[in-house]
Amino acid sequence: VPVSIFSGDVIEGGADSALSLHEQLSIAEFCSLSVKIYEKTGHYLHLSDQKDRYFEDLEEFIMQVAEGVRAARSATYY
């Protein structure tokens, strides 16, 4: 299961909470786990000054997931 954590650093706990969650989830051995912290940004990443970067990062994550799904569907099992 691919997982990506997106967080602003201005919110309470911000980067520390996101990094802690990343650490806890890494124990679950996800096939893909990433974290992205946006500086000087709060809860609403889609409304922040960095919204363009956030949407680019989100699109990149979605495309990676889609590629993984395509690969899994076309895989041949013996």
Side-chain angles (χ1 to χ4, degrees), residues 20-60:
S20 175
L21 178 59
H22 181 272
E23 184 178 324
Q24 292 171 22
L25 290 175
S26 67
I27 296 168
E29 299 179 4
F30 288 93
C31 65
S32 173
L33 178 60
S34 63
V35 63
K36 175 73 178 181
I37 309 294
Y38 299 87
E39 293 182 8
K40 300 178 184 171
T41 303
H43 283 289
Y44 303 105
L45 297 172
H46 64 290
L47 298 175
S48 74
D49 292 340
Q50 295 189 49
K51 68 182 175 190
D52 292 336
R53 183 67 201 153
Y54 165 67
F55 285 124
E56 290 171 8
D57 293 340
L58 187 57
E59 180 182 18
E60 181 181 336

